[in-house]
């Protein structure tokens, strides 16, 4: 636990560090307006770290303890090197996060996998903690992307929504869907504020995407388990799909996400086309495998 003196020292370090940086170094727009303070303003650091100005001010004043996710985004916002990061974490009374070594990889529950395997004509995903994509069926692959081609440490629904051009372009109402995804991720952070992998994810997106940084700083949260998605698929065109999620009854944090269409609708026809394509592709692969054997 950090002491009051450490909290004050952390505040002094933050203030000194922002005074050493220029907006240009941090990727902020440069204007001709004279600056009254050397380095970055508090508002600019808060923006880069995806936190509120009030929260950052209290950090500099030693009045609040920084969470693991905030330390990650602050390290990126202030362009800290390895030694400076270590010092920041020491003052905050925490250990420098090494995300992928702290916790074992998530495994799909057998019951979830069985459910997924039985859904052959509708897109379905198994989402884990932090909205990681743990498993998917062939129709989901046809709707979104081939998730197997994405490195496992990037196979996250929110990350792909912001960084993958195909996933991003699929959403007709991207701003609405992405903002809700950020709010859902906020709920994940509230449930496990010490999750280092979540801290890494937030830091990565906050450092590279202005919209994510702005929406994360709003502290908006949602826990909706259903809704409507409007997609524009690159091959089958526009679709309006109902999106429903069911949570696992254990404490694994896993959820089954299923997308369906109104029977007989154009969207239902589009889903059937996607499902038939995947079935045909799988049949061809099976025949090819048999011929090799």
């Amino acid at each position: 636990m950090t002491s009051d003196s450490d909290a004050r020292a952390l505040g002094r370090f933050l203030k000194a560090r922002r005074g050493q940086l220029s907006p240009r170094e941090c990727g902020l727009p440069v204007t001709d307006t004279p600056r009254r303070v050397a380095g970055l303003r508090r508002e600019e650091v808060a923006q880069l770290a995806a936190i509120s100005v009030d929260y950052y001010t209290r950090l500099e004043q030693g009045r609040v303890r920084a969470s693991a996710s905030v330390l990650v985004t602050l390290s990126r916002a202030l362009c800290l090197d390895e030694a400076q990061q270590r010092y920041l974490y020491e003052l905050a009374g925490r250990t420098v996060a090494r995300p992928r070594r702290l916790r074992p990889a998530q495994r799909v529950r057998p019951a979830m996998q069985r459910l997924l395997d039985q859904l052959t004509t509708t897109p379905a995903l198994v989402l884990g903690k932090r909205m990681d994509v743990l498993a998917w069926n062939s129709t989901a692959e046809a709707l979104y992307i081939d998730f197997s081609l994405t490195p496992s440490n990037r196979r996250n629904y929110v990350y792909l929504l912001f960084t993958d051009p195909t996933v991003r372009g699929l959403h007709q109402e991207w701003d609405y869907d992405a903002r809700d995804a950020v709010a859902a991720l906020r709920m994940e952070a509230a449930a496990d504020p010490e999750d280092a992998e979540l801290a890494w994810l937030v830091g990565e997106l906050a450092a590279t995407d202005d919209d994510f940084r702005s929406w994360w700083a709003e502290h908006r949260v949602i826990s909706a388990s259903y809704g409507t998605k409007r997609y524009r698929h690159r091959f089958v065109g526009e679709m309006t799909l109902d999106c429903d999620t069911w949570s696992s009854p254990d404490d694994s944090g896993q959820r089954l996400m299923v997308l369906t269409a109104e029977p007989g609708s154009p969207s239902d026809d589009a889903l059937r086309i996607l499902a038939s394509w995947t079935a045909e592709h799988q049949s061809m692969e099976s025949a090819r495998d048999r011929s090799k054997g």
Side-chain angles (χ1 to χ4, degrees), residues 205-259:
L205 288 173
T208 57
D209 192 281
D210 291 341
D211 286 324
F212 180 90
R213 188 161 58 238
S214 174
W215 293 333
W216 185 260
E218 290 177 351
H219 286 258
R220 175 173 170 262
V221 295
I222 60 170
S223 58
S225 58
Y226 63 93
T228 301
K229 302 288 186 186
R230 290 179 174 83
Y231 292 147
R232 184 180 292 108
H233 193 270
R234 56 198 181 280
F235 298 130
V236 297
E238 295 187 359
M239 293 183 286
T240 299
L241 304 179
D242 291 322
C243 179
D244 294 270
T245 60
W246 287 270
S247 297
S248 174
D250 63 2
D251 61 352
S252 66
Q254 294 183 15
R255 286 151 291 174
L256 182 68
M257 172 178 159
V258 181
L259 294 141

Side-chain angles (χ1 to χ4, degrees), residues 38-277:
L40 300 180
R41 303 184 182 99
R42 282 177 173 171
E43 293 81 1
E44 290 169 331
V45 177
Q47 176 191 349
L48 290 168
I51 57 179
S52 69
V53 177
D54 176 66
Y55 183 79
Y56 178 74
T57 300
R58 285 185 287 151
L59 277 174
E60 277 203 2
Q61 294 172 346
R63 295 163 48 204
V64 65
R65 186 178 184 227
S67 68
S69 60
V70 167
L71 290 176
V72 172
T73 56
L74 278 174
S75 295
R76 291 177 181 272
L78 295 172
C79 305
L80 301 185
D81 61 25
E82 187 175 342
Q84 291 167 328
Q85 286 185 53
R86 187 162 55 249
Y87 181 64
L88 176 72
Y89 276 76
E90 286 175 357
L91 291 177
R94 298 182 184 276
T95 302
V96 177
R98 301 188 182 280
R100 263 149 294 288
R101 297 181 183 177
L102 291 181
R103 299 186 183 188
Q106 300 179 80
R107 304 295 182 192
V108 181
R109 293 183 63 245
M112 280 287 195
Q113 187 64 59
R114 286 195 296 271
L115 279 172
L116 190 65
D117 292 341
Q118 292 174 26
L119 294 169
T120 57
T121 61
T122 187
L125 305 169
V126 175
L127 301 177
K129 293 179 179 179
R130 302 171 295 276
M131 300 173 73
D132 290 342
V133 179
L134 304 184
W136 56 94
N137 64 7
S138 57
T139 314
E141 182 178 306
L143 176 64
Y144 291 103
I145 57 172
D146 185 349
F147 293 102
S148 66
L149 300 180
T150 302
S152 59
N153 63 345
R154 297 289 193 274
R155 203 179 295 150
N156 175 276
Y157 186 83
V158 182
Y159 185 86
L160 293 170
L161 191 57
F162 278 88
T163 64
D164 188 280
T166 301
V167 176
R168 185 169 181 142
L170 176 67
H171 293 75
Q172 291 193 62
E173 300 172 329
W174 182 86
D175 286 5
Y176 179 86
D177 292 339
R179 191 165 178 262
D180 274 0
V182 173
L185 195 64
R186 262 288 179 193
M187 286 291 291
E188 298 274 346
D192 190 359
E194 303 303 316
D195 186 341
E197 292 194 35
L198 178 58
W200 175 87
L201 174 64
V202 171
E204 184 80 3
L205 288 173
T208 57
D209 192 281
D210 291 341
D211 286 324
F212 180 90
R213 188 161 58 238
S214 174
W215 293 333
W216 185 260
E218 290 177 351
H219 286 258
R220 175 173 170 262
V221 295
I222 60 170
S223 58
S225 58
Y226 63 93
T228 301
K229 302 288 186 186
R230 290 179 174 83
Y231 292 147
R232 184 180 292 108
H233 193 270
R234 56 198 181 280
F235 298 130
V236 297
E238 295 187 359
M239 293 183 286
T240 299
L241 304 179
D242 291 322
C243 179
D244 294 270
T245 60
W246 287 270
S247 297
S248 174
D250 63 2
D251 61 352
S252 66
Q254 294 183 15
R255 286 151 291 174
L256 182 68
M257 172 178 159
V258 181
L259 294 141
T260 58
E262 183 71 24
S265 67
S267 298
D268 186 40
D269 292 339
L271 277 186
R272 289 177 183 276
I273 292 171
L274 288 180
S276 67
W277 284 352

